[in-house]
Every structure is written in structure tokens, then in C-alpha cells.
Amino acid sequence: MRVPIIAGNWKMNKTIPEAVTLVQELLTLVADVQSTEIVVCPPFTALYSVGQAIAGSRVALGAQNLFWEAKGAYTGEIAPGMLVDLGVRHVIIGHSERRAYQQETDADIAKKLEAAFKAGLSPILCVGEHLAEREAGRAEEVVKGQLEVDLELLATDQVQQLVIAYEPIWAIGTGRSAQPADAAAMAQVIRDVVGAKFGADTADCVRVQYGGSVNAANSGDFLTLEGIDGALVGGASLKAKDFAAIVKSASK
Ligand code: PGA
């Protein structure tokens, strides 16, 4: 039985006071939600304050990135243990914006996933194709290729804990979400790749999210699909009411 997981990726938004206000509003709105895991991923600068605000609640803290080394001369980077120190439980790894703007490679992502698990964090791995790749009929091939490398350093028991977000790049922040049937088909592809590498039981455990222009109006179309176990939400997670409505639509 896979528990649905809804994660809000706040990206580079919200000052500390804004972040605390947002999460406090959210806490009230999701107070009666029982059956869905809820994660908020503020920017690094707001992690501590948001962590304080959600202490003792069902909302868990997530980060948007980490570095794979435990410590040392890596100016500007954040180690997995530093996130644990802040009460962070989840971490987004390999988001397409980091792949695009920070030139993050699948080999980097594999090291980040390994380091996250080693520190006891629960990663959310993002995969997804560009529009040109989908239009050329190469979406599956691209996602499979990403997964081949991304999962390379992980053990079976780690992959069983993994959340994989299928985020077609052309759907992120554009207001143009994928067709639910295409998202479900890709979720199956992801599960098949995991099954081929780590066995059917692991494929059964791994949770697959859809991400890309998920909002309060369309979330139910994705979250009621067999094989889609949650959503990774960007823009709509910055509004407490919208994010709460998405969380509630996951309680199938
Ligand atoms: P979006 O972003 O919901 O604003 O499209 C999703 C994401 O980048 O995770």
C-alpha cells in the first residue's frame, strides 16, 4: 500500500517571515488530513524557521538540493548532515531547473541520491523530458536514460524508499500540464525500469509523483490515477489554499 505524498517546491521564493506565514496558514487547512504525506520544501534560508513552525505537525520538512560530500572545502554547498541537523527529512534531487541552470548531470544526481540515503534523508528524484524530445517520440527513452544513471549507486532497500517525480520540463511553470494518461503511462515506464533493475517488489514500493503545472483544479485528474502516488507542486504550493486543496485531492 503506497501512501500518497504531496510535496511543495517553493523554489527561490519567500523570505523567512513570508515562509512562516505560508506554512502556518497551511497547517490550519490540512489539520484534518490523515492519509497523505505532506512535505514543504522552502529555500535553505527558511528551513530552520519553517521547521520550528511545523514541529509536532504532520507536515514534514524538505530541502531543494544538497551536496554529496559530508564536509570540507566546498564553498556555498550544503551537506546532507547539515539538513538533518535542521530537521529536514526529504530532499528534492535532480530538479530540471538545477539540471538546466547548474548543469547538474545524472552522474552528480546519482552521488546526491547516495549521499542523501546515507544521511538518513528521503529523496525525491526528478526526471522528465524536454518538449522537443516528447515531440520526437523520445520521452520514454530520455527518462529511462536518466534513471539508468541516477539509480546506479543505490541499493534495493533504498530504492524501495525512493520517491520519483515525473516532471515533463515543458509542463513546469507553464500552466500546460501533461495529459493524465501520458503521466500514468510514464509512471508505468518508471516502475518498469525500477522493476527490471531492482525487482518487482521494489517496483511495487517505489512512489511516483507527477509534477508540472499541478493546481487545485487539475490535481484530482492525476492523483486518482492508478500508479500516480502524489504530486510535486511548484507555483500552486506558494498559496496555502491551493496547496491544501491539492493535498486533499490525494485522499482517494
Ligand atoms: P510547477 O512546478 O508546479 O510550478 O509547474 C513544478 C516543479 O517544478 O516541481
Side-chain angles (χ1 to χ4, degrees):
M1 193 47 198
R2 299 187 298 263
V3 177
I5 177 165
I6 307 293
N9 175 10
W10 296 3
K11 307 193 179 183
M12 199 175 72
N13 294 293
K14 303 293 175 187
T15 61
I16 294 170
E18 288 167 354
V20 170
T21 304
L22 172 58
V23 84
Q24 280 169 342
E25 265 186 78
L26 178 67
L27 284 176
T28 320
L29 295 169
V30 298
D32 57 345
V33 174
Q34 299 291 335
S35 53
T36 300
E37 264 184 68
I38 310 166
V39 183
V40 290
C41 306
F44 287 127
T45 45
L47 281 172
Y48 180 78
S49 308
V50 170
Q52 298 288 299
I54 63 179
S57 79
R58 292 193 64 260
V59 176
L61 194 60
Q64 299 172 18
N65 180 38
L66 50 62
F67 191 56
W68 56 78
E69 294 292 344
K71 63 177 176 179
Y74 303 102
T75 302
E77 297 292 350
I78 309 277
M82 295 170 174
L83 297 177
V84 172
D85 212 19
L86 283 163
V88 170
R89 303 227 309 264
H90 302 262
V91 59
I92 298 170
I93 293 182
H95 191 281
S96 60
E97 286 152 14
R98 295 201 56 82
R99 292 176 187 255
Y101 305 135
Q102 273 73 34
Q103 286 77 45
E104 224 170 71
T105 65
D106 288 299
D108 295 335
I109 290 161
K111 287 194 270 185
K112 290 184 176 198
L113 286 170
E114 184 187 37
F117 276 117
K118 197 171 161 204
L121 292 162
S122 212
I124 299 173
L125 163 66
C126 302
V127 295
E129 80 285 355
H130 287 280
L131 185 58
E133 293 165 336
R134 173 153 291 267
E135 287 176 345
R138 295 187 50 236
E140 261 189 39
E141 175 196 329
V142 167
V143 169
K144 281 182 180 167
Q146 290 172 334
L147 289 170
E148 280 302 322
V149 183
D150 296 345
L151 304 180
E152 210 164 49
L153 304 177
L154 299 183
T156 301
D157 61 319
Q158 294 172 326
V159 180
Q160 289 177 354
Q161 319 279 314
L162 188 62
V163 175
I164 302 177
Y166 168 54
E167 297 207 305
I169 294 163
W170 47 271
I172 294 178
T174 58
R176 175 186 171 188
S177 60
Q179 291 301 317
D182 290 342
M186 191 63 88
Q188 188 56 50
V189 168
I190 290 170
R191 227 175 275 290
D192 289 346
V193 172
V194 169
K197 286 176 84 77
F198 300 95
D201 288 353
T202 305
D204 229 26
C205 289
V206 77
R207 289 184 289 178
V208 180
Q209 294 176 318
Y210 168 72
S213 297
V214 173
N215 57 42
N218 68 14
S219 58
D221 299 343
F222 295 99
L223 297 171
T224 48
L225 289 171
E226 184 64 38
I228 304 250
D229 310 305
L232 182 54
V233 185
S237 71
L238 297 173
K239 293 183 198 123
K241 269 201 188 119
D242 291 4
F243 189 63
I246 295 167
V247 166
K248 287 178 183 178
S249 67
S251 313
K252 298 172 198 177

